[in-house]
Amino acid sequence: MTSRVISMGAHIADALGWPFTTVPPGQHLEFIEQIKFTVAGTAAAPSVNLAKLGIDVATVGRIGNDTIGDFVRSTMAGYGVNTDHLIVDPTRQTSASLLPIRRDGSRPALHVIGANAGLTEEDVPWGVVEQAEIFHLGGAFILPGLDGTPMARVLKRVKELGLTVTMDFLMSPRDDAQALIGPSLQYVDYLMPNIEEAGWLVGSEDREEIIAWLHGQGAGHTILTMGGDGVSVAANGRAETVLPAYEIDVVDSTGCGDAFTSGLISGLLDGLDVIDAAERGLACGSLVATGLGSDAGIVDREQVAAFQRTQPRRAA
């Protein structure tokens, strides 16, 4: 089966607890209302949501030879994702995170990079890629075997094959960030970080400066997700358009950016312009925020369209 989208990068299993209010002292017990296990990561979560939206998608990454990896593979396959190109790493565990979710939807994260560290350019299934339409690279900065020059080589070849390239990254502040990502940005058609991470990368909190730097590196479009402030969309060299956020009750912010990615990609495949595709992405991200975990909220394309028609928006 030909996959229209190849999603390569971070594959993570999340263990989420809600609501997190305090760390009990010593060996004391504190009760919470819900614990959930989900497939997450900036390549895996978009794959799941794309499948929900009716898109044929193949996911590419590494998992460990462990029960967590079995969970990631079987869960993704259950949603209809092509998991044939999930490689079992013989020496590393499956990447995983512990996420204690606060009542406002925010959360700290405890993360094991695991098998994601073993992903390299040799893992790209080029015979499958050359038949696809969109190549999504999710997880720059937590893929040490791919970050930097190898990533640029991969994306250059993808562009030479004629595919559209989308990218999201997952980072904390680091001194080498610009050197790692800079060579790849000229091959990215749609760059979709959240505003905080983009600011860490550029070294500025000024959105105009952030956009200008990313455009200067060659990114075709910057699409900055901004939580309650909506989404900034700007084609290279042009002024931004800010799409207002939806009025929702946020349960958990985990996976909202990944859901946005899936909505935007599905919109592009449907022939929508970037603004309308981003509008679908915004709806997808908002739906995921209303539940616990990366797999919450989205049911199918019809539900997303109904949400877009009926859900109130915040003031611009």
Side-chain angles (χ1 to χ4, degrees):
M1 179 180 69
T2 300
S3 298
R4 302 184 72 189
V5 179
I6 308 300
S7 183
M8 180 174 180
H11 287 68
I12 302 169
D14 279 353
L16 308 100
W18 181 89
F20 170 70
T21 56
T22 185
V23 177
Q27 298 187 60
H28 291 200
L29 177 66
E30 185 78 20
F31 292 102
I32 59 176
E33 296 179 30
Q34 190 176 2
I35 293 176
K36 185 177 181 182
F37 301 93
T38 66
V39 171
T42 39
S47 295
V48 168
N49 287 320
L50 281 163
K52 288 183 179 182
L53 295 172
I55 302 297
D56 290 328
V57 54
T59 201
V60 179
R62 287 196 173 220
I63 54 176
N65 184 22
D66 49 34
T67 55
I68 303 176
D70 293 342
F71 166 77
V72 170
R73 185 188 297 276
S74 63
T75 301
M76 296 185 76
Y79 282 111
V81 177
N82 179 343
T83 61
D84 292 347
H85 307 287
L86 273 183
I87 298 166
V88 175
D89 192 300
T91 62
R92 300 175 177 90
Q93 77 156 81
T94 302
S95 177
S97 297
L98 296 176
L99 302 175
I101 311 299
R102 304 183 183 99
R103 285 197 179 274
D104 66 357
S106 66
R107 79 285 188 275
L110 301 171
H111 182 67
V112 174
I113 192 168
N116 286 331
L119 190 67
T120 71
E121 58 188 309
E122 283 73 33
D123 296 330
V124 181
W126 288 110
V128 178
V129 171
E130 65 187 11
Q131 299 179 61
E133 299 171 55
I134 292 180
F135 184 93
H136 175 65
L137 195 291
F141 299 114
I142 63 164
L143 303 171
L146 195 58
D147 285 330
T149 302
M151 186 175 293
R153 283 197 297 263
V154 168
L155 296 185
K156 181 176 185 291
R157 183 172 174 186
V158 169
K159 288 302 299 176
E160 289 171 349
L161 290 171
L163 278 72
T164 296
V165 173
T166 63
M167 177 189 279
D168 192 7
F169 43 78
L170 191 60
M171 69 173 293
S172 295
R174 52 189 295 175
D175 293 337
D176 62 349
Q178 293 186 4
L180 281 179
I181 199 72
S184 293
L185 294 181
Q186 62 186 307
Y187 307 116
V188 177
D189 297 294
Y190 300 92
L191 181 67
M192 299 176 283
N194 67 52
I195 186 65
E196 186 175 31
E197 290 174 321
W200 291 335
L201 170 61
V202 177
S204 173
E205 295 183 358
D206 183 275
R207 199 161 72 237
E208 288 188 8
E209 290 183 13
I210 292 169
I211 293 169
W213 188 88
L214 295 171
H215 285 181
Q217 300 301 305
H221 296 78
T222 52
I223 305 175
L224 308 177
T225 56
M226 304 185 296
D229 293 325
V231 174
S232 163
V233 182
N236 194 305
R238 298 187 181 181
E240 69 174 349
T241 298
V242 176
L243 309 179
Y246 285 94
E247 288 284 0
I248 56 169
D249 294 324
V250 176
V251 173
D252 174 21
S253 59
T254 304
C256 295
D258 301 324
F260 178 90
T261 294
S262 64
L264 179 106
I265 289 173
S266 73
L268 294 175
L269 289 171
D270 283 349
L272 302 182
D273 65 28
V274 65
I275 296 298
D276 288 340
E279 287 280 15
R280 183 183 292 177
L282 182 58
C284 289
S286 301
L287 280 164
V288 167
T290 64
L292 186 62
S294 297
D295 64 351
I298 297 173
V299 176
D300 56 27
R301 188 175 302 198
E302 289 71 25
Q303 175 232 17
V304 173
F307 180 89
Q308 287 185 259
R309 290 193 303 269
T310 62
Q311 190 69 17
R313 306 287 283 268
R314 292 190 177 188

